Amino acid sequence: MKPTTRLSFLHLLILLLGASGAWFMPAWANEPKKPVVPEVEVKKFKYADEQGETGRSGYVYKRALRPSEEEPKPKVWEPAKDPKTAQKEEHGKADAHGAPDAHGEKKVEKKDDGHGEPKKEEKKKDDKKGGDAHGAPDAHGGGGGHGDAHGKAKAPEPTFSAVYDPAVIKLDGMHRPLTKAVQSNTYADYFLCRKTITDKYRDTVLDEINTFADRMGLPRAQDTPCMVKVAKANTKLPGAIYIEFYVDELAAKECIKLGECGSTRLMMLYPKDKTGKKSKEIYRSYVITDERKYRRSSFCVSPQGQLLGEKSCYVAVNPDWLFN
């Protein structure tokens, strides 16, 4: 390497070191202090108190609220008032001490009618025009209408079941008696036979039950109590309608209150057509049991009173059944 080239390289290296040394020179005491730049505070968002939605990365996203925004409060719904009624209340209302209202007038209640006698209460107007207070027709033949002698509306007539004949048993559209249940247990609801079935049909069922009990050599059923039983949904035949009798008072209490019927004396009403579109023929399917003698038998009787056999009416009415 030539001497001139070596000197130029050293000279260049010295110049570079001198220029870079200026950046690392220490600060002297007489030098002015540099102004301190305050750190800018990063405003933190205030998030709504809610569950939020989880994104794909697993981060939960919530709604950010404004600094002046508060948590939304639930609005209480109030019915809208009629503007005419509200205006009358504001202008015509007086307080309990007789303070003036919006028009500067005091509201004074009159205690008499001006003749020194107490004020009589106004009579209530009849809902129907043209009738008096008792619903009687007026001179023009109006009023009365649908009300009774005291102006009360008559209750609508009940709708009867389309499957069960009302001449046999009175049930509503849901196939339940029109009266209230007197007892209920785990398996069924119990109603009194009175006002639900006719006396003639009740006597027919009782006679047939005792006829079958005599044939089996079992105790007879008593004429009271007579109950209409409606099976509940958790039974084998939900909604089935029964007429039930009992051999004595103890058997009645155990069967009605506890659902434990050791000596069964009942008849299930079996309608041939459960759609109600055809004839309302109701067969009588009997079950007679005795837990002491281990006896149990079923009988089916037609609507005309003919014994169809010692079997349930489901089997008797459907002769082509597989296990008949």
Side-chain angles (χ1 to χ4, degrees):
M1 183 178 293
K2 295 181 180 182
T4 54
T5 305
R6 182 181 303 172
L7 290 175
S8 61
F9 176 76
L10 293 175
H11 182 68
L12 180 60
L13 182 61
I14 293 171
L15 291 176
L16 291 174
L17 290 175
S20 62
W23 294 94
F24 300 100
M25 292 180 66
W28 303 101
N30 56 356
E31 290 184 359
K33 294 182 179 181
K34 296 181 180 180
V36 179
V37 180
E39 296 181 358
V40 180
E41 295 182 359
V42 179
K43 295 183 179 180
K44 296 182 179 180
F45 293 101
K46 184 179 180 181
Y47 297 97
D49 186 8
E50 59 185 7
Q51 186 176 1
E53 296 183 2
T54 306
R56 294 182 178 179
S57 62
Y59 182 80
V60 179
Y61 295 90
K62 298 183 178 181
R63 293 183 296 107
L65 303 177
R66 296 179 182 176
S68 60
E69 186 177 358
E70 297 180 355
E71 288 287 337
K73 297 180 180 180
K75 295 183 179 180
V76 180
W77 180 84
E78 295 181 357
K81 294 184 178 180
D82 189 4
K84 294 182 180 180
T85 306
Q87 187 176 3
K88 289 181 180 180
E89 291 179 356
E90 293 178 359
H91 293 283
K93 186 184 295 183
D95 60 3
H97 302 284
D101 57 4
H103 299 285
E105 297 179 357
K106 291 185 178 181
K107 185 178 180 181
V108 181
E109 295 182 1
K110 295 181 180 181
K111 296 184 179 180
D112 54 25
D113 58 356
H115 299 284
E117 297 180 359
K119 186 177 180 181
K120 297 181 180 179
E121 296 181 358
E122 297 181 357
K123 295 182 179 180
K124 296 182 180 180
K125 296 182 179 179
D126 189 11
D127 295 337
K128 298 290 182 178
K129 294 183 179 180
D132 60 1
H134 299 283
D138 58 3
H140 301 284
H146 302 283
D148 58 2
H150 300 283
K152 297 181 180 179
K154 293 182 179 179
E157 295 182 359
T159 56
F160 293 101
S161 171
V163 177
Y164 296 90
D165 190 357
V168 175
I169 182 170
K170 294 180 181 179
L171 302 176
D172 60 11
M174 301 300 293
H175 312 312
R176 293 181 66 86
L178 304 178
T179 57
K180 294 183 180 179
V182 296
Q183 191 66 40
S184 180
N185 57 35
T186 309
Y187 308 103
D189 296 325
Y190 287 83
F191 304 81
L192 293 175
C193 292
R194 183 167 50 89
K195 296 183 179 181
T196 302
I197 61 175
T198 61
D199 294 340
K200 182 179 179 180
Y201 196 76
R202 171 187 173 278
D203 295 340
T204 300
V205 173
L206 180 60
D207 291 342
E208 291 177 349
I209 284 178
N210 288 331
T211 300
F212 299 138
D214 293 342
R215 180 183 295 186
M216 297 173 64
L218 300 179
R220 285 189 155 215
Q222 305 297 321
D223 57 347
T224 57
C226 173
M227 306 297 290
V228 174
K229 182 171 72 173
V230 181
K232 289 188 176 180
N234 59 341
T235 57
K236 294 181 179 179
L237 300 172
I241 309 297
Y242 301 88
I243 297 177
E244 192 169 67
F245 291 90
Y246 312 94
V247 295
D248 52 32
E249 186 177 354
L250 179 61
K253 291 181 179 180
E254 292 179 351
C255 196
I256 296 175
K257 293 184 178 180
L258 305 177
E260 298 177 358
C261 304
S263 299
T264 305
R265 303 292 185 272
L266 63 80
M267 182 272 292
M268 184 182 74
L269 284 77
Y270 184 82
K272 185 176 181 180
D273 177 37
K274 296 184 179 181
T275 62
K277 297 180 180 179
K278 299 180 182 179
S279 61
K280 301 177 182 179
E281 294 182 352
I282 299 177
Y283 290 76
R284 300 190 286 272
S285 185
Y286 291 90
V287 176
I288 312 295
T289 64
D290 191 284
E291 63 179 358
R292 296 178 182 178
K293 296 185 177 181
Y294 304 99
R295 299 291 303 277
R296 177 186 176 89
S297 295
S298 298
F299 304 91
C300 182
V301 179
S302 68
Q304 294 76 24
Q306 180 183 1
L307 179 63
L308 302 181
E310 296 186 7
K311 59 186 74 174
S312 66
C313 285
Y314 178 80
V315 179
V317 176
N318 303 279
D320 55 345
W321 191 51
L322 180 61
F323 301 102
N324 190 5

